Amino acid sequence: MEQSVILETERLFLRKFALQDVDALAAVVGDPVTMEFYPAPLDRQGTADWISRNVQRYQRDGHGLWAMVLRDSGALIGDCGCVVQEVESKNEIEVGYHVRRDLWGNGYATEAARACMEYAFTKLGATRVISMIRPENRSSRRVAEKNGMVREKTIFWRDYDHCIYASDYGQT
Ligand SMILES: CC(C)(COP(=O)(O)OP(=O)(O)OC[C@H]1O[C@@H](n2cnc3c(N)ncnc32)[C@H](O)[C@@H]1OP(=O)(O)O)[C@@H](O)C(=O)NCCC(=O)NCCS
């Protein structure tokens, strides 16, 4: 487990997912409220597929969504990470995040996303990082704003309008 830790923050660490995480992650992405802005909550198989997709991303891109773990208890409470997304024919690094619903409002997504932005700039050599957020998703927009991202424009992406929040290296 130790060698799979990617990032540490004051209260969290981010580490690579493994298939053993399926039950803990299902408590996050299987929740219908948490997945309001996605096509549907994920069942156990969908959660396992989510983990597999991210393991493939680690191998292909060197990064992906990582498990968000509380340092105090070792509990997996969500995910956050850097994902390659093709947006308007250009590859971008997106910082994405999900937190178990009973823990919303404690600043965990903001703390993890900020660390991922820094990681993208300093370790991945990114000059720009984005988050794509549905306009109705006010808490996610707030996370981006708290981390100094700027709303650039709205695009139609994967069947829905998405606000592009972006930050350039050295901007925040
Ligand atoms: C978005 C999400 C990850 C935020 O996680 P979190 O750990 O609660 O985030 P934080 O505590 O760091 O910050 C949330 C902010 O949104 C604010 N917020 C929450 N609900 C809100 C609402 N309905 N309207 C406006 N702001 C809201 C909180 O007050 C907080 O801001 P503040 O610190 O200024 O008070 C979490 O809500 C989640 O998992 N949502 C579902 C998955 C998702 O949408 N992921 C993002 C996809 S783009």
Side-chain angles (χ1 to χ4, degrees), residues 53-68:
R53 274 200 303 282
N54 281 292
V55 170
Q56 284 166 17
R57 285 180 174 131
Y58 308 151
Q59 288 158 358
R60 188 188 62 217
D61 305 325
H63 50 87
L65 290 173
W66 298 301
M68 183 193 292

Side-chain angles (χ1 to χ4, degrees), residues 67-116:
M68 183 193 292
V69 177
L70 284 179
R71 288 170 69 136
D72 276 357
S73 62
L76 190 160
I77 61 158
D79 65 63
C80 188
C82 303
V83 173
V84 178
Q85 297 284 17
E86 189 179 323
V87 186
E88 296 184 317
S89 308
K90 192 174 137 204
N91 275 353
E92 303 259 28
I93 302 274
E94 181 184 37
V95 171
Y97 34 74
H98 305 80
V99 171
R100 210 178 67 206
R101 184 153 55 105
D102 59 303
L103 296 169
W104 286 2
N106 289 301
Y108 291 131
T110 303
E111 186 172 321
R114 179 150 202 103
C116 287

Side-chain angles (χ1 to χ4, degrees), residues 34 38 97 99 104-107 109-110 137-140 142 146:
T34 298
Y38 291 80
Y97 34 74
V99 171
W104 286 2
N106 289 301
T110 303
N137 193 346
R138 297 179 57 130
S139 47
S140 182
R142 182 80 193 113
K146 284 194 288 182

Side-chain angles (χ1 to χ4, degrees), residues 6-7 62-63 66 82 114-126:
I6 307 291
L7 277 174
H63 50 87
W66 298 301
C82 303
R114 179 150 202 103
C116 287
M117 289 168 68
E118 279 171 25
Y119 184 92
F121 291 136
T122 59
K123 302 276 198 257
L124 304 180

Side-chain angles (χ1 to χ4, degrees), residues 23-44:
D23 289 328
L25 183 62
V28 183
V29 296
D31 181 280
V33 177
T34 298
M35 299 306 274
E36 182 185 354
F37 300 112
Y38 291 80
L42 300 185
D43 60 12
R44 206 165 187 284

